[in-house]
Each structure stands twice: as structure tokens, then as C-alpha cells.
Amino acid sequence: MLSRTTGDKKERVQALYWLKIGVVETTEHIAVLLACHRTTVSRWLTIYREDGLEKLLEQKKSPGRPRLIPEEALESLKKELSEPEVFNSYGELQLWLKIFGELDLSYWTVYEWVHYRLKAKLKTPRPRHIKQIPGRI
């Protein structure tokens, strides 16, 4: 028999198993044993009869919301961030995305993407005093 890890898939397989070995005969009895509604069990059995076991156990995935930064813009952003000292602030980066990527993103969105998702830092050297001896840090 199939082994499943998610609860809803186990319930579906269990219902089919009980029908196969003859423990239950009605959808109402299965619904009582599984603590779900009889129309849910009826829907499962209809899917099984029409499309088979693979369709019954198919994992449905929602498409989700599209990303704010498309893949092409993300790749060019990674390339620009790999070069040292291109951007001095997240505001400059925001402006760059607006001009070259045609993306109008908020400051905090740009910060979140660069700092947390891309793990990049805008490194700028600290200002040095005129009288500082060269070579001494």
C-alpha cells in the first residue's frame, strides 16, 4: 500500500482501504470514522473513480503572488552588487532599479531584498582624516 505523510492524503488512502477490504459500505460511515463531511468523502471517491489514484493524491500548489523584482532585474542587480562600491546607499540602489529595471519600489522593499534575501552589504569605507599616517589604520 502507499505510504503518505500528510494527513489529508492518509485519510483518502484510508477511506479507499476500508472500502477495498469491506469494513465500510457507505460514504456516511467513512465520514463518521474520519470525522469529516460525507460530501467530502463522496468527492474523493468521485475523483478516484474518474481520474484514478494519482489524481486523488495529487499535491495542489497555489501559484502565489508574483515577485516584486523579476528574475532578469534580479540577475543584473546581483551583478552590480558584486562590484565594489557601486552604490553608496539604498536610495541610490532604489533609483538605479527605477531607471534601469523600470521598478518603482519603496526604500524598505529595496533594503529587505538586498540585505536579507541577497545577503549583500553596501560597503563604503569610513572617512579618513587628512592628517592620518598612510598605512596606519
Side-chain angles (χ1 to χ4, degrees), residues 63-68:
R65 190 175 79 187
R67 290 186 166 213
L68 291 171

Side-chain angles (χ1 to χ4, degrees), residues 32-66:
V32 169
L33 293 174
L34 293 176
C36 61
H37 201 271
R38 63 178 174 75
T39 56
T40 303
V41 176
S42 178
R43 187 177 63 243
W44 293 346
L45 296 175
T46 303
I47 292 170
Y48 176 70
R49 274 188 237 109
E50 292 175 358
D51 301 319
L53 186 62
E54 291 301 318
K55 185 73 172 180
L56 179 66
L57 301 177
E58 182 180 88
Q59 183 71 33
K60 294 182 177 84
K61 186 177 184 303
S62 68
R65 190 175 79 187

Side-chain angles (χ1 to χ4, degrees), residues 1-124:
M1 194 73 202
L2 296 171
S3 65
R4 293 287 162 184
T5 55
T6 56
D8 61 333
K9 305 298 188 266
K10 284 183 179 180
E11 290 176 345
R12 294 171 188 199
V13 172
Q14 186 69 49
L16 291 175
Y17 178 71
W18 283 336
L19 281 173
K20 184 74 171 173
I21 64 172
V23 173
V24 293
E25 293 182 5
T26 63
T27 57
E28 290 84 8
H29 192 180
I30 295 171
V32 169
L33 293 174
L34 293 176
C36 61
H37 201 271
R38 63 178 174 75
T39 56
T40 303
V41 176
S42 178
R43 187 177 63 243
W44 293 346
L45 296 175
T46 303
I47 292 170
Y48 176 70
R49 274 188 237 109
E50 292 175 358
D51 301 319
L53 186 62
E54 291 301 318
K55 185 73 172 180
L56 179 66
L57 301 177
E58 182 180 88
Q59 183 71 33
K60 294 182 177 84
K61 186 177 184 303
S62 68
R65 190 175 79 187
R67 290 186 166 213
L68 291 171
I69 302 177
E71 286 299 319
E72 308 86 42
L74 198 60
E75 290 302 318
S76 61
L77 178 61
K78 285 180 187 177
K79 191 170 115 180
E80 288 292 322
L81 287 171
S82 66
E83 298 173 13
E85 300 180 19
V86 174
F87 301 109
N88 291 323
S89 67
Y90 290 102
E92 286 182 14
L93 189 56
Q94 181 184 13
L95 184 62
W96 183 85
L97 283 169
K98 191 172 193 171
I99 293 169
F100 293 107
E102 298 176 1
L103 299 169
D104 191 20
L105 302 173
S106 71
Y107 178 90
W108 294 110
T109 304
V110 172
Y111 176 81
E112 191 265 342
W113 270 88
V114 172
H115 190 75
Y116 294 112
R117 295 189 185 194
L118 299 178
K119 306 284 187 207
K121 294 179 182 168
L122 303 181
K123 295 181 180 177
T124 56

